[in-house]
Amino acid sequence: GIGNEYNTWVSLYNQGARNVNNSWGSSGATAYGGSATSADNVMWNYQDYLVIASASNDGPNWNTVSQPGTAKNIISVGAAGNHRSVWIASSDTASALTDFSGRGPVNPSGGDSRSKPDLVATGADVLSTRTTFIANNVVTLWANESGDGDSDGHLDYWWSGGTSMSSPHVTGAATIVRDYLEDIKGFTSTQPPSAALVKAMLVNGAV
């Protein structure tokens, strides 16, 4: 885990982070509370700070978004398919939610039954950089990809999927939106764009 998530997020904020990705969650913890409460608290106390979190891989049933993805103010990210059918033809479905992606409504026992996830992004058949700490013949994700472009003796990429792969896509998009607001629209470090504004632009601009 990341220890005390509130303190970790504040530490990252103090080091200059304004969007923070969280490709982790508490599987089965679908109520509002715990790290979800911490996420809302940190965004309330640092209102230019956007927390983005993976929704979970506990789908396809409803109420399967896990903390911190059940938070109210953050962006919870689900997994869509992809424009490739490396594994099976059904993965060539970028406009559809994957069966494993967590989904709402969330917190029905609390009475609000909010819609989640807030956004979805590619989360199936994602080619990602591979750690050098795992031997080339070991497969811990979906599959290894051949190739050692830097000739260091380690494979460069592997295939994976999940909302943990989706969430970084949205975090990158949030950074581009924030840069646009600062570079084009005149927001500054003393008058920064709020996290709520960045979230609203992403949610309302999604296709």
Side-chain angles (χ1 to χ4, degrees), residues 60-73:
N61 293 330
W62 67 284
N63 191 29
T64 50
V65 176
S66 62
Q67 298 172 14
T70 55
K72 301 174 183 179
N73 298 323

Side-chain angles (χ1 to χ4, degrees), residues 12-132:
L12 293 171
Y13 181 90
N14 290 336
Q15 295 175 62
R18 292 300 179 267
N19 302 317
V20 60
N21 178 64
N22 295 270
S23 288
W24 61 276
S26 304
S27 182
T30 58
Y32 180 72
S35 59
T37 304
S38 296
D40 279 338
N41 284 340
V42 78
M43 285 188 61
W44 174 257
N45 293 328
Y46 302 87
Q47 296 201 5
D48 59 336
Y49 194 26
L50 180 58
V51 177
I52 299 123
S54 53
S56 89
N57 300 326
D58 295 333
N61 293 330
W62 67 284
N63 191 29
T64 50
V65 176
S66 62
Q67 298 172 14
T70 55
K72 301 174 183 179
N73 298 323
I74 73 168
I75 295 180
S76 305
V77 185
N82 207 331
H83 282 303
R84 54 167 62 104
S85 53
V86 173
W87 301 100
I88 52 176
S90 60
S91 70
D92 196 14
T93 51
S95 61
L97 198 66
T98 63
D99 62 347
F100 59 75
S101 181
R103 63 205 70 195
V106 302
N107 200 38
S109 61
D112 57 12
S113 295
R114 284 173 286 109
S115 297
K116 289 281 182 177
D118 301 294
L119 290 170
V120 298
T122 301
D125 302 329
V126 178
L127 189 61
S128 180
T129 52
R130 190 182 191 280
T131 178
T132 59

Side-chain angles (χ1 to χ4, degrees), residues 1-12 24 34-35 38-39 42:
I2 64 170
N4 182 300
E5 62 276 349
Y6 184 92
N7 290 341
T8 299
W9 287 325
V10 170
S11 175
L12 293 171
W24 61 276
S35 59
S38 296
V42 78

